Amino acid sequence: MANRLTPSTITLLTLPPLLWAGNAVVGRLVHELVPPMTLNFLRWVLAFVLLLPLAAAVLKKNGPLWPHWRRYALLGLLGVGCYNALQYLALQTSTPINVTLVGSSMPVWMLTVGALFFGVPVARRQLLGALLSILGVLLVLSRGEWAQLMAFKLVPGDLFMLLASIAWAFYSWLLVRTREPAGVRGDWAQFLMAQMVFGLAWSGLFAGGEWALTAAHIQWGPALLAALAFIALGPALLAYRCWGAGVQRAGPAMAGFFINLTPLFAAVMSTLFLGDHPQWFHALAFALIVAGIVVSAQR
């Protein structure tokens, strides 16, 4: 299932965490301007409009999408409808450090889901790689002071992020379990559109429930419009395109380790926004995360 890491595969799997780190920062910045489920829905509406000229053919009545609609409905639920909606929801009640810490469990969930539901055994090197990678994340989150990690308490947002991580693990494994025509699989725009059309329905349903059950409101303005443009173009279209291609090349278990680059990138972005200088623990954490990837990639 998995091939050796090449420079192009590493690039494909590194770009999504970079964009998703920006997504987390932007999601936190606008959390008072738009409700989380609505933000996710608006994001994918804009992404759908942008992608439509490239992939309209897959939506035709006799197109290759419909014979496999159950598979795409599930992919749309997990990857489009749930993951980012749960992340945005987590940022409403949890701190960024807690959300990032829970999200750093992704390699563990990748290995667990693969072993329990897809019959893929876990090698010792993968367990060692997961440990090294998570240690790197913990080092960033603690800013080199381990006592800080003992001060946080779990809140509902942490549970939402845990559910988001599990949903993404299933989504990534399902990406490589394919029966759809090669024409759809080979065209990244059509493949993403096939997921997005169902994901829009799921996210719209969740957003409708949010407006029906809560006092939801939107504060339109340049900041929100700029945020929507970024999260639709970068974390949605470009990141999903690269992640899908990277998972196909490296396999879900290997790709899962790259997710741990997200909190490192988020820490660097926060450092830049705050005007602070990089610290020694950023370099050490990067070395640990990369070491985890390298160890896991060994045959």
Side-chain angles (χ1 to χ4, degrees):
M1 179 180 297
N3 298 319
R4 288 186 180 274
L5 290 177
T6 63
S8 61
T9 303
I10 291 173
T11 300
L12 287 172
L13 292 174
T14 301
L15 186 58
L18 176 62
L19 293 170
W20 290 331
N23 181 55
V25 172
V26 171
R28 181 63 180 175
L29 288 173
V30 301
H31 79 281
E32 294 183 351
L33 303 180
V34 57
M37 299 295 177
T38 303
L39 176 61
N40 188 55
F41 177 64
L42 293 175
R43 161 196 183 167
W44 288 108
V45 167
L46 181 55
F48 179 87
V49 172
L50 293 172
L51 192 62
L52 189 59
L54 299 176
V58 78
L59 301 178
K60 293 181 179 179
K61 184 177 180 180
N62 59 345
L65 159 65
W66 306 113
H68 304 274
W69 70 269
R70 291 181 178 84
R71 167 173 162 77
Y72 291 119
L74 181 57
L75 288 173
L77 172 63
L78 296 172
V80 176
C82 288
Y83 178 71
N84 278 112
L86 288 169
Q87 184 184 53
Y88 294 144
L89 187 59
L91 290 169
Q92 299 289 310
T93 57
S94 183
T95 63
I97 187 171
N98 279 41
V99 169
T100 311
L101 180 58
V102 175
S104 70
S105 65
M106 181 64 72
V108 176
W109 292 115
M110 286 287 192
L111 296 176
T112 302
V113 169
L116 294 180
F117 296 93
F118 295 91
V120 179
V122 179
R124 290 183 179 179
R125 58 181 171 75
Q126 292 176 313
L127 293 176
L128 177 58
L131 176 61
L132 289 172
S133 188
I134 290 176
L135 283 176
V137 173
L138 294 178
L139 184 61
V140 171
L141 297 177
S142 67
R143 298 183 65 83
E145 299 178 7
W146 297 106
Q148 289 193 19
L149 292 176
M150 307 303 296
F152 80 93
K153 297 180 180 180
L154 292 175
V155 297
D158 302 321
L159 176 59
F160 292 135
M161 193 61 207
L162 179 61
L163 293 175
S165 300
I166 295 173
W168 190 258
F170 275 102
Y171 170 79
S172 296
W173 278 105
L174 287 171
L175 283 178
V176 299
R177 300 295 173 136
T178 176
R179 294 179 180 177
E180 64 261 25
V184 177
R185 170 65 70 174
D187 188 319
W188 73 269
Q190 289 194 20
F191 184 58
L192 181 55
M193 177 61 78
Q195 303 171 53
M196 196 183 300
V197 66
F198 292 103
L200 268 179
W202 289 114
S203 58
L205 179 64
F206 298 153
E210 182 176 58
W211 281 80
L213 300 175
T214 68
H217 67 282
I218 301 178
Q219 298 181 31
W220 291 104
L224 180 56
L225 293 176
L228 286 172
F230 168 72
I231 63 177
L233 285 170
L237 292 181
L238 183 57
Y240 273 65
R241 187 271 183 273
C242 292
W243 182 257
V247 168
Q248 284 294 308
R249 293 188 183 187
M254 182 70 257
F257 287 89
F258 283 82
I259 292 290
N260 271 1
L261 291 172
T262 303
L264 179 63
F265 289 144
V268 172
M269 289 180 183
S270 298
T271 298
L272 293 175
F273 284 125
L274 294 175
D276 296 331
H277 296 290
Q279 302 295 322
W280 63 269
F281 55 83
H282 288 124
L284 180 56
F286 180 77
L288 286 170
I289 292 172
V290 171
I293 295 172
V294 171
V295 169
S296 300
Q298 299 300 314
R299 292 183 181 273

